[in-house]
């Protein structure tokens, strides 16, 4: 079912410092910061040859990463995003296997403009997983 | 400096169950378990089209992931591994930037038979980073 690793998301308390770490210390290609008000985050994309790292910083009230940063004030890996060909088929198969989909189970339009779902970390080895239809 | 994301390592408390999660629930291609006694882990490789997920389970006494699993009994993302062309040049540049390399700073031969170093999570947004020379 899952295809490519679309990205690894890292929640960071200071986006400018995190961008400098990846650009200057690790020598990677980084994007300009991009506000995603519908998703409550500002994102910097780190472009690696085979995948992306997304540096996420809270934007506005009620950001979905605010509680994570309270628990992990220095930042940390927030989720892994895997690509799927058909997100509804993936959801139905996962639910049939007993895995929990977060929220109401309906795909939302994610930060890349494509349908996404999140899966419960307790069913996936302690890691939050995003599925993105590509 | 950094190139491809070589792998994401996930520490897991039950390797058979974790393998089943990735193989049966997520439908990915997984390897047979491979003991790495020199590194204190048993590894299952999840082969995605563009990178790998490595499921790590402690092997023997003093495994480097035992303390992590005590803190995260359900498992969790343990580290990210980035490829570099020249690990000594990478180390020298990172240390010149003030980043901390773990251990004595000398590359060790990693689980793939190639020189590796680990970087301090506090200098890299709360995520442990492995560099592997390819």
């Amino acid at each position: 079912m899952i295809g490519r690793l679309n990205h690894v998301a890292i929640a960071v308390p200071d986006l400018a410092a995190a961008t400098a770490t990846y650009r200057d210390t690790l020598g990677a290609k980084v994007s300009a910061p991009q506000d995603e008000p519908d998703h409550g985050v500002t994102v910097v994309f780190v472009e690696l040859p085979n995948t992306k790292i997304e540096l996420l910083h809270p934007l506005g009230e009620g950001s979905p990463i605010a509680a994570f940063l309270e628990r992990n004030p220095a930042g940390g890996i927030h989720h892994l995003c895997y690509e799927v060909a058909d997100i509804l088929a993936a959801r139905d198969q996962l639910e049939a296997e007993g895995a929990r989909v977060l929220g109401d189970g309906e795909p939302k339009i994610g930060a890349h403009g494509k349908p996404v779902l999140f899966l419960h970390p307790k069913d996936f080895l302690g890691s939050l997983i995003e599925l993105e239809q590509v």
Side-chain angles (χ1 to χ4, degrees), chain A:
Chain A
M1 177 199 312
I2 59 171
R4 297 173 73 258
L5 176 71
N6 184 277
H7 62 267
V8 177
I10 303 178
V12 302
D14 180 334
L15 192 56
T19 303
T21 295
Y22 267 85
R23 181 189 59 217
D24 303 334
T25 309
L26 290 172
K29 183 177 175 191
V30 303
S31 76
Q34 186 172 316
D35 287 345
E36 300 279 356
D38 289 350
H39 300 96
V41 291
T42 302
V43 186
V44 166
F45 298 94
V46 179
E47 294 169 35
L48 302 181
N50 60 331
T51 190
K52 292 190 297 286
I53 308 296
E54 297 191 4
L55 307 176
L56 306 181
H57 187 260
L59 176 67
E61 296 298 308
S63 169
I65 62 169
F68 179 90
L69 279 171
E70 275 171 30
R71 290 195 306 276
N72 302 275
I77 299 170
H78 184 263
H79 67 262
L80 302 179
C81 177
Y82 297 126
E83 298 178 355
V84 295
D86 181 334
I87 202 160
L88 294 176
R91 175 198 64 189
D92 293 348
Q93 185 178 332
L94 288 163
E95 288 185 335
E97 297 265 357
R100 284 167 285 181
V101 174
L102 297 185
D104 63 6
E106 292 307 312
K108 303 288 183 291
I109 298 301
H112 309 143
K114 295 175 178 166
V116 303
L117 283 173
F118 283 88
L119 309 180
H120 201 303
K122 289 204 173 155
D123 295 336
F124 294 93
L125 319 173
S127 45
L128 178 62
I129 291 180
E130 181 180 17
L131 296 182
E132 178 175 304
Q133 179 171 296
V134 292

